[in-house]
Amino acid sequence: LSTNFKQWYQRRVRGKMGKDVADQQLGCLWAGDYTLSVSFSGSINYLDFNSNSVTRILKGHQRSIETMDAASNKIYTSSFDGRCAKYDAETGDVEYFTGAVHKNKVLDTKISGDQFVSVDIENKIMRTSLLTCDMGSNTSSVPAQVGSFGVHADTGIEVYTCQKELIMFKNGVKVCSKRTKISMLKACAIAPSGTVLAVGSADANVLYIYDIDGSNIIQRQERETSGVLTELAFSPDGGFLVGASSARAPLLLDVNNHFNPVNHCWSAQSKSLTCSFSPDSRLFCYCRNRFKHPHL
């Protein structure tokens, strides 16, 4: 930092910036009557020389963002260091989750009704109110690292894919543990009806369809795919199932026609990592590994 900025900062502003390690200032940029400084936490601060105050703070993540979800004009993110944040899509304001937060990398997150459900690399599951963003009051754990998970808000069901095992919770209580012949499960999605579960193998080109019957998971169908599935998503109307995979072409199945493939001409130059449907079920989006822009 420049000598002039250091002197002004220490005399006039330091006490207003906080005293934690995360409040340490790492760099600055002069911009007219303002200076932009970067905190160790990743925040960008607007410092006003005229009022000797911090007039605006742009918050964000210090480490890479691992997951993203959207609901009710809010965007929820989690990062490699375990931080979870809520963004206002209109104003850009950010609120960090508080309480007994994750201490390590968050693997996957989902919105389930009024809850933010997250699981980290230490196999810890957290269910957090979207209203308070206070973590730690509703937690569970699973015996092995989670590949992915699916939720159904109306029934309170959560299904987690682990090594050779599917684990189901209902309203935060474990109700089923189903052993499978698959060494590692990855992609996972629950249909809008709450009675159908789709799961992909992490080391084979296979899709498994299960029925959710009360507190039981019953395998119904096994289908070969053109690549290893990385993510699955049902359309909001329940009519289609799309899958991102190691193959160039995305998987698209007709749910009402026994999960038979839908013929299409879409393909990419590399594998796809993630996929999602539009709210009206008319479009789906998938993102490739080597390029920054998604495909619709």
Side-chain angles (χ1 to χ4, degrees):
L1 299 179
S2 71
T3 302
N4 290 341
F5 174 76
K6 278 186 175 180
Q7 293 176 351
W8 174 78
Y9 170 76
Q10 291 173 353
R11 293 175 182 174
R12 304 298 181 95
V13 184
R14 187 174 183 177
K16 304 174 184 179
M17 298 288 288
K19 298 180 180 181
D20 294 336
V21 174
D23 298 318
Q24 179 183 350
Q25 302 303 295
L26 304 181
C28 65
L29 174 68
W30 296 95
D33 291 335
Y34 293 89
T35 288
L36 307 182
S37 72
V38 180
S39 301
F40 184 72
S41 63
S43 299
I44 299 175
N45 311 285
Y46 282 69
L47 310 178
D48 185 2
F49 286 99
N50 297 319
S51 63
N52 295 323
S53 62
V54 182
T55 59
R56 187 182 182 190
I57 300 177
L58 300 180
K59 296 181 180 180
H61 288 276
Q62 184 188 39
R63 300 294 181 87
S64 61
I65 294 175
E66 300 294 322
T67 71
M68 182 180 295
D69 299 278
S72 301
N73 207 35
K74 298 292 190 294
I75 299 171
Y76 300 87
T77 59
S78 66
S79 56
F80 188 87
D81 57 354
R83 169 176 281 180
C84 297
K86 178 172 72 173
Y87 291 75
D88 188 301
E90 291 186 355
T91 65
D93 292 339
V94 181
E95 177 183 354
Y96 293 132
F97 282 58
T98 57
V101 299
H102 290 288
K103 301 300 183 182
N104 290 287
K105 177 181 178 180
V106 177
L107 296 176
D108 199 4
T109 59
K110 296 287 190 303
I111 302 296
S112 180
D114 60 355
Q115 288 187 324
F116 178 76
V117 186
S118 55
V119 59
D120 63 26
I121 200 169
E122 294 184 331
N123 314 326
K124 186 173 185 179
I125 301 166
M126 291 194 184
R127 305 171 188 89
T128 307
S129 167
L130 296 179
L131 182 62
T132 65
C133 294
D134 186 29
M135 307 185 85
S137 61
N138 187 349
T139 66
S140 304
S141 63
V142 288
Q145 187 168 307
V146 173
S148 182
F149 73 96
V151 298
H152 189 259
D154 292 343
T155 58
I157 288 176
E158 306 161 11
V159 178
Y160 296 83
T161 61
C162 300
Q163 187 174 11
K164 293 186 177 181
E165 192 173 17
L166 289 169
I167 299 175
M168 182 166 70
F169 289 81
K170 192 168 186 178
N171 297 321
V173 179
K174 184 178 177 179
V175 295
C176 178
S177 177
K178 182 177 180 62
R179 300 291 295 179
T180 69
K181 62 181 180 180
I182 313 113
S183 60
M184 187 61 194
L185 300 163
K186 176 60 178 173
C188 178
I190 300 175
S193 64
T195 60
V196 180
L197 170 70
V199 175
S201 171
D203 53 11
N205 300 350
V206 184
L207 169 70
Y208 300 90
I209 303 298
Y210 296 87
D211 289 322
I212 299 176
D213 184 8
S215 298
N216 297 312
I217 299 175
I218 305 166
Q219 184 173 335
R220 182 211 303 183
Q221 191 175 348
E222 183 177 323
R223 176 174 290 279
E224 190 172 323
T225 61
S226 57
V228 175
L229 295 165
T230 55
E231 187 168 63
L232 291 164
F234 281 94
S235 59
D237 63 7
F240 297 96
L241 174 67
V242 68
S245 75
S246 60
R248 293 178 58 187
L251 176 72
L252 184 62
L253 304 179
D254 187 340
V255 173
N256 298 319
N257 188 23
H258 308 289
F259 288 90
N260 283 319
V262 176
N263 293 325
H264 64 77
C265 59
W266 305 304
S267 64
Q269 295 178 349
S270 61
K271 68 179 182 180
S272 52
L273 298 177
T274 184
C275 58
S276 180
F277 270 97
S278 61
D280 61 4
S281 302
R282 296 182 63 248
L283 299 172
F284 75 85
C285 175
Y286 67 101
C287 187
R288 294 182 286 170
N289 184 38
R290 295 175 54 192
F291 296 88
K292 297 181 180 180
H293 58 276
H295 289 257
L296 287 173

